[in-house]
Amino acid sequence: MSESLPTNDIIAILVVGSSLAILGYFGWKTLITSNLYQQGVKLYQAKDYQGAEAAFRKVIAINSTNDVVRLLLGDILNQKGQIEEAKELFCEVISRSPKNADAYLRLANVLMQQEKPAEARTNLQQAKELFQKQRNPQKAQQLEQILQEISKL
């Protein structure tokens, strides 16, 4: 006598199978992203900016919400003299994550390179306030000193 599986069992098998497939996909995606990120960091440290840029762009293509990689890519572009592109990336990070003090710092650096000290001061002030709120008084104090030096210019 052959009994068929009840409908509930079939649905449960399909749900578990689908969940395992999705979990496998995200695990694979995370592994690839992590490897590319590590490769990009190593290339960046070795000052291979072309290679690091390619690796970080691949990470962003896989995971478009990774702000750390966007900041590193912005640093690379700034090193390569692509200041406007770097500025756009830093602005994107700020718009996506307005409490990211590092993005304000990097943007201020670019603005100083573009000889826009007033805008740079505004971003440094924002970074300083964020570092204070994030209980990082050392960085806040360093920024206060930089702000004082800029005011003398």
Side-chain angles (χ1 to χ4, degrees), residues 99-119:
K99 294 181 181 179
N100 190 324
D102 290 321
Y104 288 98
L105 278 176
R106 286 170 163 100
L107 179 58
N109 182 42
V110 167
L111 291 166
M112 287 300 287
Q113 290 173 15
Q114 293 180 324
E115 299 180 7
K116 297 179 179 177
E119 291 178 51

Side-chain angles (χ1 to χ4, degrees), residues 17-67:
S18 298
S19 297
L20 288 173
I22 291 169
L23 187 60
Y25 168 75
F26 284 116
W28 170 79
K29 187 176 172 182
T30 300
L31 181 63
I32 299 261
T33 303
S34 176
N35 288 340
L36 284 168
Y37 174 78
Q38 291 301 322
Q39 177 187 10
V41 168
K42 286 178 185 174
L43 291 167
Y44 180 75
Q45 290 171 340
K47 298 188 192 276
D48 178 356
Y49 299 128
Q50 287 296 118
E53 178 183 354
F56 289 145
R57 287 192 187 277
K58 287 178 186 174
V59 171
I60 291 171
I62 294 170
N63 182 359
S64 64
T65 62
N66 193 323
D67 289 338

Side-chain angles (χ1 to χ4, degrees), residues 71-107:
L71 291 176
L72 289 170
L73 179 58
D75 290 342
I76 289 167
L77 294 171
N78 192 16
Q79 288 287 334
K80 292 173 59 181
Q82 296 170 265
I83 295 172
E84 202 55 46
E85 254 188 285
K87 182 179 174 182
E88 287 175 26
L89 279 170
F90 299 145
C91 288
E92 279 179 36
V93 172
I94 289 169
S95 103
R96 294 160 51 94
S97 181
K99 294 181 181 179
N100 190 324
D102 290 321
Y104 288 98
L105 278 176
R106 286 170 163 100
L107 179 58

